[in-house]
Amino acid sequence: MTTTPPAPLLSAQALEVAFPGRRGAATARAVDGVDLDIRPGEIVALVGESGCGKTTLARSLLGLVPPTAGRVTFGGEPLDYAGRALKAYRKRVQLVLQDPSGSLNPRHTVYDAVAEGLRIHGYTGDEGAAVSGALARAGLRPPERFLLRYPHELSGGQRQRVVIAGALVLEPELIVADEPVASLDASVRGEILALLLKLRDELGLSALVVTHDLGLAWNIADRVAVMYLGRIVETGDVEQILTAPRHPYTQALLSVLPEADGEPVILTGEPPDPSKVPSGCRFHARCQVLASGEAERAGVADACRTKDLPVLEGGGRTQVACHWVAAETARAV
């Protein structure tokens, strides 16, 4: 008996975000047609190299950057960008930034940093109890030890836990974590990742984790969405994507991990430029499959250079946007 997956908590549908160029320069299509769903209690990793559009996509999902086209829905309702509605939305969806040192005001104590969200949203309950509870859930125990400390008195891992506590204090349903462990020592990274998993298990918290690190995605995510030049090019369950990647871009990203087998794939050509999206597959100028002649042998080289690929659906099934993969799949049937 098959069970119907729960309805998405947060969903992007045909989402586009474009920024006009300065002094007549071409428009930058930072997000150029994205469907993405995040279900209740699910952790989705959005991965890709710098400049691929993943942070802009995350900011648009948070309501910080209004989309040029498409829409964002939360709990089945379209996101309302009016001031009061957006404020209520941001209580339910919280952001965790990658640099805790930059996120925390050095003149505020830990107590004030965590209580700030409560004060912005007019919390009428016991503020001290809420702050202490959030710190405890973030792993800072006993919380009384940390309430009057300043950020410079804490370690990097403790500062990140304070940032997470500041998000948790509002009891959100989903957090968006942008490179949550990128600035931390390797010894602390595992602790923060374990904390995020614990919060998911204990609170039913959903999360979108934005990262360039596929190793992080392997350790924390239920699903992975691989983004390149404004679009998701491969998506599916973490085990499927990271153990048997199909898109050449995903294969290249995985090949440079220390534990990867074989030689690393060194991508040629220029890195992504959202103001110069090429025709056809947007990865073709750097694609190792096209460069090696494999796409030519499969009869899709011209399509790679000239034929656009469809936007992948936002659901959980495994999908890949690649002419060569489509040809190889058809041949195997």
Side-chain angles (χ1 to χ4, degrees):
M1 180 179 177
T2 59
T3 57
T4 303
L9 177 64
L10 179 67
S11 182
Q13 297 153 8
L15 198 68
E16 298 180 12
V17 179
F19 300 106
R22 295 182 179 178
R23 300 177 182 175
T27 297
R29 291 148 58 186
V31 178
D32 193 28
V34 166
D35 287 1
L36 181 66
D37 295 340
I38 305 171
R39 299 190 184 97
E42 182 179 49
I43 298 178
V44 176
L46 181 65
V47 302
E49 60 191 325
S50 297
C52 70
K54 57 188 188 295
T55 294
T56 301
L57 173 57
R59 290 172 62 83
S60 186
L61 294 176
L62 285 160
L64 297 172
V65 179
T68 308
R71 67 174 188 166
V72 176
T73 62
F74 187 80
E77 297 295 325
L79 183 56
D80 186 344
Y81 293 90
R84 183 173 297 179
L86 199 57
K87 182 178 179 181
Y89 171 69
R90 288 178 181 158
K91 184 179 179 182
R92 302 173 71 186
V93 180
Q94 282 284 297
L95 173 64
V96 174
L97 294 169
Q98 77 174 71
D99 181 12
S101 298
S103 305
L104 298 172
N105 188 326
R107 297 183 180 181
H108 286 180
T109 63
V110 166
Y111 181 95
D112 288 330
V114 177
E116 183 176 13
L118 296 175
R119 295 166 182 171
I120 289 172
H121 288 275
Y123 182 70
T124 57
D126 187 333
E127 181 181 277
V131 170
S132 294
L135 288 170
R137 286 195 296 275
L140 294 173
R141 297 188 181 93
E144 292 75 20
R145 286 181 52 206
F146 300 93
L147 293 175
L148 298 182
R149 292 190 186 182
Y150 289 88
H152 72 272
E153 299 176 297
L154 305 174
S155 68
Q158 289 172 335
R159 286 194 290 269
Q160 188 63 293
R161 289 176 186 272
V162 171
V163 171
I164 293 172
L168 293 178
V169 75
L170 292 169
E171 300 182 350
E173 297 165 61
L174 183 147
I175 61 171
V176 175
D178 190 355
E179 300 281 9
V181 296
S183 62
L184 302 178
D185 294 339
S187 60
V188 183
R189 288 164 57 95
E191 296 178 8
I192 299 300
L193 295 180
L195 171 63
L196 293 176
L197 287 171
K198 181 181 178 183
L199 294 172
R200 188 269 303 274
D201 294 339
E202 292 183 353
L203 305 178
L205 199 63
S206 303
L208 176 68
V209 179
V210 179
T211 182
H212 67 280
D213 185 350
L214 283 164
L216 183 152
W218 175 263
N219 286 312
I220 195 172
D222 301 301
R223 282 196 300 121
V224 174
V226 182
M227 195 168 185
Y228 184 83
L229 197 50
R231 277 198 185 167
I232 292 172
V233 296
E234 188 166 11
T235 182
D237 291 342
V238 64
E239 292 87 355
Q240 178 104 21
I241 301 300
L242 300 189
T243 59
R246 302 172 71 197
H247 198 285
Y249 179 59
T250 312
Q251 294 173 356
L253 292 178
L254 282 166
S255 75
V256 298
L257 294 179
E259 62 271 22
D261 297 327
E263 292 296 317
V265 176
I266 306 301
L267 296 177
T268 60
E270 294 295 321
D273 183 345
S275 66
K276 299 175 182 177
V277 178
S279 60
C281 171
R282 51 194 64 203
F283 182 60
H284 82 258
R286 305 173 72 199
C287 180
Q288 69 273 22
V289 172
L290 186 60
S292 69
E294 289 184 56
E296 187 74 49
R297 289 189 288 274
V300 296
D302 288 340
C304 292
R305 297 186 179 98
T306 61
K307 186 178 179 181
D308 197 11
L309 287 151
V311 173
L312 299 183
E313 298 174 8
R317 67 187 183 89
T318 301
Q319 304 165 78
V320 58
C322 175
H323 295 298
W324 172 71
V325 170
E328 293 294 299
T329 301
R331 184 179 301 168
V333 174

